[in-house]
Amino acid sequence: MDSTAQNKATTTSRQITRRRILGTTAAILTLPVFSRFADAATSRILAVRTWPADEYTRVTLELNAPIKSEHFTLESPNRLVVDLQGLSMSEALNSLISKIKPNDPYIAQVRVAQNRADVVRLVLDLKQQVIPQVFTLKPVGDYQYRMVFDLYPKVAKDPLLALADNMNMAGDDPLAAVIDQLNAKRPIAAAPTVQGQIAPATPRAPSTPARRSGSRPILIAIDPGHGGEDPGAIGPRGTREKDIVLAIGRQLRDVINAKPNMRAYMTRDADFFVPLHVRVQKARRVKADIFISIHADAFTNTSARGTSVFTLSRKGASSAAARWLANKENAADLIGGIDIGAQDKTTASVLLDMSTNAQINDSLKIGHRVLESLGRINGVQSRRVEQAGFAVLRAPDIPSILVETAFISNPTEELFLRDKSNHRLIANAIVQGLDSYFATNPPLARG
């Protein structure tokens, strides 16, 4: 081979080698990019939901995998900005825009855009200043990972003000007016915090009940179970427990408020989630005389039927069924979703430790009368009032019962619960049970 041919061969060999090196280098350089977009592709929005309410608005993004986020607030105008990392624009995210309703107390509108290659930015235009809580929930029940935005007002609404509105209190100080009318001697619990929770009252030793002024109405706290992200049990026809018990609760409220000597307060009057310990705190804040939590039972055996009434127990459950039900109901916080980091972890234990035998004994008496009355409507699952460690019944100074109105898992009883006329029958039966109790146990004020 002459020198010219040899030089051409050498040049060609070098070009081939150079192209191979460049190709390999390019592949190496693109690996992180492909990896990054591959990661982004694995995170996607499965569903978006909004839960507007007077107390707070919740926005939920359900995902197939956890993602990181950053958020901050801006003023003039008020906005919440959330950057979601590892996401791209999608139809599900775009649907969030249409889910914001004009009557939402906190959100005016939402804007969604691809801020960077793998970052989606949400801008929530707000109607007022809020204290946002942004947190992620692990998979539970039928849900996968959930990113939650809870928007609380800077000054949370006091339950007593809600009660004043319900009692049509007017004047310069409706809060003082309702307190005067309640006219109880025991201390009032602290007002709500900015997170929508209510600080517990200062622990105190149980005292001897004293006769109460006859001018004060008997105040019944009505607690429709579940709500918002937590649908409760679901019947064969798709009936959701949270909807049924809210409807029954509203009927019970109307029946109670129609009586001259009673008033009702609802822990929730719309479709939103209230943590179990906050339900208890609300009842204590308004100084309720009786707490009634309303539910619709479910069991694996679809033939199970009848009404049940439960109270708190400090000595273990009265039956295996009662223990199973208490565990199921106590899981509501996991399904409904609470920010563990923001929750006062001492509240529940303090309330349980403060529970008194007198409270439980009164609860059993009330529960017996209510069960007897409800049994005439739909029959009973158990002829006695059952007991277990229900978290929602742990008010130390308020007799508390939990009513399982019927088995929503039973096709026949699901139809019974779907019939609105039966909601009124259930409400009337509960009030008749209360009247029967008060006929032999005149209302007392706890000093």
Side-chain angles (χ1 to χ4, degrees), residues 69 90 108 179 282 306 311 366:
S69 70
S90 65
I179 291 175
K282 284 184 169 186
T311 65
I366 295 167

Side-chain angles (χ1 to χ4, degrees), residues 24-267:
T24 303
T25 304
I28 294 171
L29 290 173
T30 56
L31 277 176
V33 178
F34 283 124
S35 176
R36 183 178 65 190
F37 282 107
D39 289 343
T42 61
S43 298
R44 65 183 188 277
I45 301 291
L46 303 176
V48 297
R49 295 179 290 274
T50 61
W51 307 101
D54 286 340
E55 295 190 17
Y56 74 106
T57 284
R58 168 170 287 191
V59 177
T60 303
L61 307 180
E62 187 171 0
L63 308 109
N64 67 321
I67 61 173
K68 294 181 179 180
S69 70
E70 296 178 349
H71 71 276
F72 55 91
T73 56
L74 298 170
E75 298 181 3
S76 302
N78 294 315
R79 286 153 291 164
L80 171 64
V81 180
V82 184
D83 285 341
L84 305 172
Q85 301 177 18
L87 284 180
S88 297
M89 287 296 297
S90 65
E91 184 178 345
L93 265 176
N94 274 325
S95 70
L96 179 59
I97 297 172
S98 62
K99 290 184 180 291
I100 304 303
K101 304 304 180 185
N103 62 348
D104 190 303
Y106 301 100
I107 305 176
Q109 66 176 353
V110 173
R111 290 171 282 144
V112 186
Q114 194 78 42
N115 184 256
R116 297 188 294 280
D118 62 344
V119 175
V120 170
R121 171 165 287 186
L122 303 182
V123 179
L124 284 69
D125 295 320
L126 305 172
K127 295 179 179 179
Q128 58 178 287
Q129 289 186 321
V130 302
I131 303 293
Q133 289 184 20
V134 180
F135 54 97
T136 299
L137 299 169
K138 294 180 180 180
V140 63
D142 294 331
Y143 292 123
Q144 295 198 39
Y145 290 93
R146 286 173 290 168
M147 178 162 284
V148 176
F149 315 120
D150 283 346
L151 309 180
Y152 289 99
K154 278 207 164 183
V155 179
K157 187 174 183 179
D158 193 318
L160 277 172
L161 282 176
L163 182 61
D165 292 341
N166 180 259
M167 295 172 69
N168 296 318
M169 292 292 183
D172 295 332
D173 193 351
L175 184 59
V178 73
I179 291 175
D180 288 343
Q181 184 166 352
L182 290 176
N183 192 30
K185 295 181 180 179
R186 56 193 169 96
I188 300 173
T193 69
V194 294
Q195 285 81 22
Q197 300 181 15
I198 306 169
T202 303
R204 58 191 181 281
S207 57
T208 304
R211 189 66 58 183
R212 182 180 54 189
S213 169
S215 62
R216 174 191 164 182
I218 300 168
L219 185 60
I220 310 298
I222 303 169
D223 176 52
H226 309 283
E229 288 285 289
D230 177 18
I234 299 178
R237 290 173 175 261
T239 310
R240 300 182 302 187
E241 179 182 4
K242 69 173 183 177
D243 300 327
I244 294 297
V245 299
L246 179 59
I248 294 173
R250 287 170 172 166
Q251 288 290 328
L252 180 57
R253 174 197 62 195
D254 293 345
V255 173
I256 288 173
N257 285 341
K259 297 179 71 67
N261 66 329
M262 285 188 183
R263 289 295 179 270
Y265 168 77
M266 296 184 70
T267 60

